[in-house]
């Protein structure tokens, strides 16, 4: 990948624009007389403006004239880049076919063509002159206050993810709520948790849910948000309760009837998180039958009247969240900033105490400010005092939403410029959404927000941006395995700040239905990024009432029978469709072949089908194609001509494209139907030497089974730089060949081998010294296989599924084995996996999380891993109860007794 100059919310695309002007001054355009001269002039004018823009970006409050000039230049830079993109596409450039510029230059001998180019460049020149004249007339440079308290933060590209400080002050509230919920009352009880935003209501509810969830037959945790789509919410509740999907049931009343039938005569625990109004509760509560089985519901809300009403006006069931006590606040703050309560340097103690006092005991405020300060420990005391002075003293005694937002805004203003656009881009996603790190990284790159400083790739730099936003407390980590974060979420108060900033800077326009879009179309500036967040009731018909030609990112969440006219998205970089999994629909993307600036395409419609364009070779900038759907009408035959394509995720019914060996730029490839691939294309995989991630499944339909598997194994051996490999195949021959690999990719970091089980652990896995994570299915657990795995020096995560558990004795993990392993998951198909492994003292010294599967043959408390007390770092025990005869309560009780003899008494969770 090539370098991409930074884009910010305020400056628009000024830096990429300057880069493209530099390209116009290059040798490729030397035959286009006058172009290089005009490009040089524009570079000088725009360069002068950029310096002023970057200073204005660091100021929170701007003079109205300065703000007007800034907004004008931002929009002008967008329009200029669009114009130059049109010019470069029509008259050639680095992405055009060889010789096109030369042929075009000859064609320009006609007066009309020369005149048109001259007019375009003169128009751009006039725009730049006008903007610079306004800068001088408004005295923009004088508006920059050199005494501003906001100091830019030095860039930190290689930030490493660190876990946020542990929970503090939650034990007392958790135990009190547990006592409310676990009593002898058989009637359905609703308990509400109410408090100001940022107090930790969701965290408390989650802690209670995890502690008592194993005592209920059914349980689920659902988030409501301010604009709930009841169909999606209730369908999601069905899935979390273990109900089968029913795509033909779409009416809310029908879904409620199914839920009531499923929960009838069962003891259930439901958490309804982030409830905003009574009307939503009136619908949701209809799904919960009152059968006198001791079922419980927990509701979290900011609104006291809602909390009171959901508990049927029983004040004894309303839990009022209070701010943290002084000691707990100090513990949370110091652990986040200094890594320990005793680590505060003397020169920061007084100012730290004053800052902490102004946070008022709100965990969100404490973590946000502490994360900001954690990045500034090497700075002077005066800078800390500046941050202290920015906080309102009134917040400590009577917090308001406006003052809480000022705290969050303080952290935003201290973000480095390169992080601001990336942070605001999160506003494209709906509230309470878990957001994939991989998706964000690729979208940031596609939009041009990332610079590959210090020689790193754009995606590696973008991952560092993501980690830095976590370190600064701007986003919250979600799915995490052994310290690596795979997804994030945004606190709703932080999202409010993002959307406010997006509105101020015309960065993103958000609409929740077509009527809403029409009302917002009166904006003074053109829409640059559009996110439609549609519910079932609002998306049945209509058209987008705004100009589409200037949009650079378009995201569509929800369902609709209407597909936007893609041919109008002339400058689109990012195109994202995300439809509900339960919705069977056809997505028409046939016009996407005309989106010549497109870099990123993702469609998620697990139950739907997609119509793709017949030709896409003109999409010369396309880097990502991610199609998650049941079927695709056709895969363009010219897809192999996309020489910039780095990531290809194919529909689930699609084999490898014909000629895939030509796609040498691919770094990610996922094919979920290898059976439809030709032998030539399986052999062609070996040509993809840039591959870093490879997923291949459903390979049992090979026309030539033996030849196909042999070709696959041979191709994998050629992929020397492969880091992630997932293979799943239900063929014995496939397993035999994989077992005999002699030259595996030695840089492998993540290996998943599913499908047909191996007879034993393949010996070649022992050569993978870089391997961090391994998932493997074997027929039986043997001492020699465990020894092979135990010697891997980098293995931190191991998931083993064992078909046959030895009845006579357990496999003992020796002292010194698995030196860095942090998570072990051990399951069986039918037998009891809890007693098949034992641990000597000194084995798995860093193991923190143990996951064990329980089946019908489980022998109760006597069948525990031998020597579990030797796992001195153990922090969590998770039990996957797959039994049809053992109750969750019995399983949880047995494991809790076993955990009580462990030195650390690790908590037990049943799921």
């Amino acid at each position: 990948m090539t370098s991409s100059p930074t884009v910010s919310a305020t400056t628009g695309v000024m830096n990429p624009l300057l880069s493209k002007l530099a390209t116009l001054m290059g040798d490729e355009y030397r035959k286009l007389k006058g172009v290089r001269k005009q490009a040089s002039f524009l570079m000088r004018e725009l360069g002068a403006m950029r310096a002023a823009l970057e200073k204005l970006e660091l100021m929170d409050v701007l003079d109205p004239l300065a703000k007007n000039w800034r907004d004008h230049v931002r929009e002008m830079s967008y329009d200029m880049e669009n114009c130059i993109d049109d010019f470069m596409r029509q008259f050639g450039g680095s992405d055009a076919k060889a010789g096109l510029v030369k042929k075009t230059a000859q064609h320009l001998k006609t007066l009309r063509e020369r005149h048109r180019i001259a007019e375009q460049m003169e128009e751009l020149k006039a725009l730049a002159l006008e903007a610079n004249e306004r800068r001088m007339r408004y005295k923009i440079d004088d508006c920059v206050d050199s005494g501003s308290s906001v100091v830019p933060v030095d860039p930190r590209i290689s930030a490493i993810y660190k876990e946020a400080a542990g929970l503090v002050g939650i034990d007392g509230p958790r135990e009190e709520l547990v006592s409310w919920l676990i009593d002898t009352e058989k009637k359905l009880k609703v308990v509400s948790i109410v408090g100001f935003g940022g107090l930790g209501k969701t965290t408390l509810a989650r802690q209670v849910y995890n502690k008592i969830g194993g005592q209920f037959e059914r349980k689920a945790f659902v988030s409501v948000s301010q604009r709930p789509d009841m169909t999606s919410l209730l369908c999601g509740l069905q899935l979390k309760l273990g109900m089968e999907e029913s795509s033909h049931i779409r009416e809310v009343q029908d879904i409620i009837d199914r839920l009531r039938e499923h929960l009838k005569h069962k003891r259930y625990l439901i958490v309804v998180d982030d409830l905003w109004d009574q009307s939503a509760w009136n619908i949701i509560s209809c799904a919960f039958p009152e059968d006198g089985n001791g079922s419980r519901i927990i509701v979290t809300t900011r609104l006291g009247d809602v909390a009171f009403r959901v508990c049927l006006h029983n004040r004894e069931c309303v839990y009022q969240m209070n701010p943290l006590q002084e000691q707990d606040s100090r513990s949370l703050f110091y652990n986040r900033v200094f890594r320990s309560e005793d680590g505060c340097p003397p020169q920061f103690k007084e100012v730290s105490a004053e800052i902490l006092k102004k946070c008022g005991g709100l965990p969100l405020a404490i973590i946000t400010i502490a994360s900001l300060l954690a990045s500034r420990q090497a700075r002077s005391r005066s800078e800390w005092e500046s941050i202290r002075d920015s906080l309102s003293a009134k917040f400590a005694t009577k917090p308001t939403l406006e003052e809480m937002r000022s705290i969050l805004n303080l952290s935003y203003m201290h973000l480095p410029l390169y992080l601001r656009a990336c942070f605001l881009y999160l506003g494209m996603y709906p509230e309470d959404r878990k957001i994939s790190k991989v998706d964000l990284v690729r979208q940031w790159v596609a939009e041009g927000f990332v610079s590959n400083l210090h020689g790193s790739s754009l995606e590696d730099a973008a991952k560092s941006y993501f980690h830095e936003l976590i370190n600064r407390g701007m986003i919250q980590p979600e799915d995490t395995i052994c310290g690596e974060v795979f997804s994030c979420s945004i606190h709703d108060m932080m999202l409010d700040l993002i959307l406010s900033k997006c509105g101020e800077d015309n960065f993103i326009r958000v609409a929740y239905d077509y009527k809403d879009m029409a009302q917002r179309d009166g904006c003074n500036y053109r829409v640059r990024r559009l996110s439609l967040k549609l519910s079932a009731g609002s998306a049945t018909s209509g058209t987008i009432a705004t100009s589409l030609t200037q949009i650079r990112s378009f995201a569509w969440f929800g369902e609709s029978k209407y597909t936007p006219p893609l041919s109008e998205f002339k400058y689109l970089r990012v195109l994202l469709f995300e439809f509900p999994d339960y919705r069977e629909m056809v997505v028409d993307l046939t016009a996407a072949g005309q989106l010549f600036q497109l870099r990123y395409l993702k469609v998620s419609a697990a139950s739907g089908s997609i119509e793709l364009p017949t030709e896409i070779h003109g999409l010369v900038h396309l880097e990502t194609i991610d199609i998650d759907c049941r079927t695709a009408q056709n895969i363009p035959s010219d897809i192999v001509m996309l020489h910039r394509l780095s990531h290809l995720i194919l529909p689930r019914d699609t084999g490898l494209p014909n000629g895939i060996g030509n796609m040498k730029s691919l770094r990610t490839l996922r094919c979920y139907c290898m059976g439809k691939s030709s032998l030539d294309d399986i052999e062609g995989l070996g040509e993809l030497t840039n591959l870093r991630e490879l997923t291949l499944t459903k390979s049992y339909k090979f026309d030539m089974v033996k030849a196909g598997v042999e070709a696959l194994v041979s191709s994998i051996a050629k992929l020397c730089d492969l880091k992630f490999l997932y293979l799943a195949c239900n063929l014995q021959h496939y397993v035999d060949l994989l077992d005999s690999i002699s030259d595996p990719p030695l840089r492998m970091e993540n290996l998943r081998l599913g499908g047909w089980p191996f007879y034993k652990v393949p010996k070649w896995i022992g050569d993978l010294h870089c391997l961090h994570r391994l998932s493997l299915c074997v027929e039986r657990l043997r001492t020699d296989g465990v020894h092979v795995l135990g010697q891997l020096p980098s293995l931190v995560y191991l998931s083993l599924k064992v078909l046959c558990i030895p009845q006579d004795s357990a496999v003992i993990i020796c002292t010194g084995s698995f030196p860095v392993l942090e998570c072990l998951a051990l399951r069986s198909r039918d037998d009891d996996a809890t007693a098949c492994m034992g641990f000597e003292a000194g084995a798995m010294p860093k193991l923190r999380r143990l996951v064990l599967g329980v089946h019908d043959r489980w022998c109760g408390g006597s069948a525990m891993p031998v020597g579990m007390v030797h796992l001195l770092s153990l922090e969590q025990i998770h039990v996957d109860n797959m039994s049809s005869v053992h109750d969750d309560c019995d399983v949880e009780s047995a494991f809790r007794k076993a955990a009580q003899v462990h030195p650390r008494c690790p908590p037990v969770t049943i799921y």
Side-chain angles (χ1 to χ4, degrees), residues 605-622:
S607 300
S609 61
I610 295 180
E611 296 179 357
L612 294 169
T614 55
E615 293 185 353
I616 59 173
H617 65 271
L619 307 185
V620 295
H621 300 289
L622 194 57

Side-chain angles (χ1 to χ4, degrees), residues 650-870:
L650 293 163
R652 278 172 280 167
D653 69 337
T654 304
L656 296 171
N658 293 329
I660 193 169
N662 296 316
M663 304 181 72
K664 292 182 170 56
S665 60
L666 280 182
R667 296 171 60 87
T668 302
L669 174 62
R670 298 181 196 169
C671 176
Y672 298 103
C673 197
M674 278 291 290
K676 294 186 177 181
S677 304
S678 69
L679 181 60
D680 288 343
D681 290 322
I682 297 168
E683 292 174 343
L685 290 174
E687 301 296 319
L688 307 181
T689 54
N690 284 313
L691 267 186
R692 300 296 186 269
E693 177 186 335
L694 178 61
T695 295
L696 303 172
T697 66
K698 278 192 179 179
S699 42
Y700 50 81
K701 293 182 180 179
F702 283 134
D703 293 333
M704 298 174 287
V705 172
K706 183 176 180 180
V709 176
E710 288 177 346
L712 175 60
V713 172
S714 175
S715 293
I716 290 173
K718 298 176 183 177
L719 305 177
C720 299
D721 292 327
L722 199 64
K723 293 188 176 182
F724 175 94
L725 176 63
Y726 174 33
L727 296 176
C729 176
N730 292 322
L731 283 174
Q732 177 67 57
H733 188 67
Y734 146 87
V735 170
D736 292 341
L737 279 172
L738 280 185
D739 194 25
S740 62
I741 288 179
S742 59
D743 190 20
L746 297 180
R747 297 181 181 178
M748 194 97 66
E749 296 178 357
N750 192 337
L751 177 62
R752 295 179 60 192
L753 298 175
W756 196 279
F758 289 82
Y759 176 70
K760 60 180 181 179
V761 175
K763 289 184 179 179
W764 55 267
I765 292 180
D767 297 329
L768 304 179
H769 292 175
C770 297
L771 196 64
H772 294 164
R773 297 193 297 276
L774 172 64
S775 297
L776 183 65
C777 180
V778 295
E779 286 191 15
R780 60 183 66 245
L781 201 61
R782 297 158 51 110
T783 301
D784 56 348
V786 172
H787 179 74
V788 168
L789 301 180
Q791 300 306 306
L792 291 172
S794 304
L795 191 66
V796 295
Y797 174 88
L798 173 62
S799 176
L800 273 178
K801 183 176 181 180
V802 184
L803 298 192
C804 300
I805 302 297
Q807 300 299 318
D808 49 351
S809 62
V811 173
I812 303 300
I813 308 300
C814 300
T815 302
S817 294
F818 299 95
V820 298
L821 193 71
E822 296 181 13
C823 178
L824 170 64
L826 188 60
R827 297 180 176 88
S828 172
R829 184 174 62 185
D830 301 308
D831 292 322
D832 173 28
T834 59
C836 70
M837 186 177 286
F839 308 95
E840 288 185 351
M844 298 186 179
K846 295 187 178 181
L847 190 74
R848 296 190 294 116
R849 186 168 182 256
L850 179 62
V851 181
L852 296 170
V854 168
H855 280 278
D856 290 349
R857 298 183 186 180
W858 180 61
C859 300
S862 61
M864 294 293 171
V866 178
M868 193 167 66
V869 294
H870 294 145

Side-chain angles (χ1 to χ4, degrees), residues 235-303:
C235 285
L237 179 57
Q238 290 183 110
L239 295 177
K240 292 182 179 183
L241 288 170
M243 300 171 61
E244 294 184 1
E245 293 186 45
S246 181
S247 58
H248 65 280
I249 296 179
R250 301 291 302 118
E251 296 298 326
V252 168
Q253 187 58 56
D254 294 335
I255 302 171
I256 288 175
D257 291 342
R258 287 194 79 217
L259 284 164
R260 292 185 66 87
E261 184 63 29
H262 180 74
L263 294 174
K264 186 189 296 183
H265 307 309
K266 294 184 179 71
R267 188 168 187 246
Y268 57 85
L269 172 66
I270 308 292
V271 176
V272 180
D273 185 41
D274 198 20
L275 184 68
W276 280 82
D277 58 62
Q278 185 66 31
S279 60
W281 173 250
N282 293 341
I283 298 173
I284 298 169
S285 61
C286 292
F288 308 136
E290 301 186 35
D291 290 336
N293 294 315
S295 296
R296 300 290 184 261
I297 298 173
I298 303 172
V299 175
T300 73
T301 179
R302 295 185 193 179
L303 308 174

